[in-house]
């Protein structure tokens, strides 16, 4: 009977969360509905994990009957949680994939703020810090969803993750040529548009305030939502045909 409960499962990851250097939650995903189902229980667990690990030199901890792997960067702490019998190497591969993917994305965003980080010459994780993470949460959520789905590990190679979210290590989300063409496109559009609605102008200003990472993530999320709506419409159409 015990051997049955110890069998390996596809649902490797129980939870994933990112905290700041005060232990405050910035992002969290709990994939096991029976593991800390309430927000209060989750916060207590995260506080306990943070208090036991934020000054430790190890990368693995066993807390509250769970296996926890973690690493820090500047003012951020990254955690991946698995069951007590879970392989630590599997959990660490998820953690490293998350960290390396965010390093490349957030480093490119830091470069947009005038920092010299495009080549990561200062080492991995140099620009994985709180302010860049908060400015690009859409991209961060998209990365997490490409790595884990419902607790199942989908990908552990950061390059594959970056390609799936349209970020490659050797090119930006928008090519330099396409970026250079944007002003020309704007001027062409203005020549054929006699008036600009105030709401459109406000929307344009709001969009310009987002980074490329966030904009691409928003578009991809909208595409996924549209795909979901199309599937619902298809199911309703099939149902009507069957009833007819």
């Amino acid at each position: 009977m015990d051997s049955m409960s110890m069998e390996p499962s596809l649902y490797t990851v129980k939870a994933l969360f990112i905290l700041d250097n005060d232990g405050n939650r910035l992002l969290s995903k709990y994939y096991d509905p029976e593991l800390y189902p309430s927000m209060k229980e989750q916060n207590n667990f995260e506080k306990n994990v943070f208090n036991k690990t934020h000054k430790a030199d190890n990368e693995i901890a066993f807390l509250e009957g769970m296996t926890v792997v973690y690493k820090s960067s500047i003012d951020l702490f990254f955690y991946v949680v698995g069951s007590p019998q879970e392989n630590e190497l599997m959990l660490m591969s998820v953690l490293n994939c998350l960290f390396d993917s965010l390093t490349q994305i957030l480093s490119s965003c830091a470069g947009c703020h005038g920092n010299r980080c495009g080549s990561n010459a200062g080492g991995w994780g140099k620009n994985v810090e709180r302010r860049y993470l908060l400015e690009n949460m859409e991209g961060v959520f998209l990365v997490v969803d490409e790595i884990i789905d419902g607790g199942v590990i989908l990908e552990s190679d950061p390059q594959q993750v970056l390609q799936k979210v349209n970020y490659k290590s050797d090119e930006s989300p928008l090519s330099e040529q396409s970026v250079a063409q944007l002003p020309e496109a704007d001027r062409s559009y203005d020549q054929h548009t006699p008036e600009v609605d105030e709401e459109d102008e406000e929307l344009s200003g709001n969009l310009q305030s987002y980074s490329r990472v966030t904009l691409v993530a928003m578009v991809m999320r909208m595409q996924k939502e549209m795909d979901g709506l199309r599937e619902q419409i298809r199911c309703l159409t099939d149902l009507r045909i069957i009833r007819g």
Side-chain angles (χ1 to χ4, degrees):
M1 298 295 291
D2 292 338
S3 61
M4 292 293 291
S5 61
M6 297 294 288
E7 287 184 356
S9 171
L10 288 175
Y11 301 94
T12 303
V13 179
K14 298 294 184 181
L16 177 152
F17 49 89
I18 303 174
L19 310 178
D20 65 15
N21 56 354
D22 292 320
N24 299 315
R25 174 194 288 188
L26 301 179
L27 177 149
S28 71
K29 289 240 181 180
Y30 284 77
Y31 301 101
D32 186 345
E34 298 180 358
L35 179 67
Y36 310 114
S38 71
M39 184 68 68
K40 182 179 180 181
E41 291 175 307
Q42 293 176 11
N43 287 332
N44 289 338
F45 174 65
E46 291 166 15
K47 288 290 186 184
N48 184 33
V49 170
F50 177 78
N51 291 334
K52 297 290 180 61
T53 59
H54 76 286
K55 292 184 179 180
D57 295 329
N58 300 322
E59 294 183 337
I60 301 174
F62 299 94
L63 300 170
E64 299 188 21
M66 306 301 296
T67 303
V68 182
V69 297
Y70 59 95
K71 72 168 51 182
S72 62
S73 172
I74 307 178
D75 53 1
L76 294 175
F77 289 81
F78 300 80
Y79 297 91
V80 175
V81 182
S83 64
Q85 69 269 16
E86 194 56 67
N87 187 323
E88 296 93 338
L89 294 179
M90 290 290 292
L91 297 177
M92 190 61 71
S93 69
V94 173
L95 179 65
N96 289 334
C97 182
L98 172 67
F99 187 80
D100 291 347
S101 299
L102 293 183
T103 293
Q104 296 192 48
I105 289 180
L106 299 184
S107 292
S108 66
C109 296
C112 295
H113 288 74
N115 293 337
R116 297 175 59 188
C117 59
S119 62
N120 285 313
W124 288 111
K126 180 178 179 181
N127 295 292
V128 183
E129 53 184 291
R130 185 177 185 273
R131 60 171 176 158
Y132 297 128
L133 185 88
L134 293 177
E135 289 174 359
N136 299 278
M137 288 302 290
E138 289 282 348
V140 175
F141 275 107
L142 196 58
V143 166
V144 172
D145 291 342
E146 291 294 345
I147 298 174
I148 308 167
D149 182 16
V152 178
I153 301 175
L154 299 179
E155 187 59 68
S156 60
D157 182 354
Q159 295 303 320
Q160 292 297 321
V161 172
L162 294 173
Q163 289 179 14
K164 290 178 181 178
V165 296
N166 201 28
Y167 294 106
K168 298 181 180 180
S169 59
D170 57 348
E171 58 186 47
S172 60
L174 297 176
S175 67
E176 295 299 328
Q177 182 179 1
S178 63
V179 172
Q181 292 172 347
L182 287 177
E184 293 294 334
D186 290 341
R187 286 195 291 271
S188 175
Y189 178 79
D190 290 340
Q191 291 174 358
H192 294 83
T193 306
E195 295 182 1
V196 178
D197 194 342
E198 292 182 359
E199 293 183 359
D200 292 339
E201 186 175 356
E202 181 180 357
L203 177 60
S204 176
N206 291 336
L207 289 175
Q208 290 177 3
S209 66
Y210 290 102
S211 68
R212 294 177 183 175
V213 177
T214 303
L215 287 172
V216 173
M218 290 170 64
V219 171
M220 294 188 70
R221 180 165 291 186
M222 290 170 63
Q223 289 176 341
K224 287 185 177 181
E225 291 177 354
M226 290 297 297
D227 291 341
L229 288 173
R230 292 191 186 97
E231 182 64 21
Q232 292 181 23
I233 293 172
R234 187 188 65 79
C235 292
L236 288 173
T237 303
D238 293 344
L239 183 59
R240 288 181 179 179
I241 293 175
I242 293 174
R243 289 182 176 179

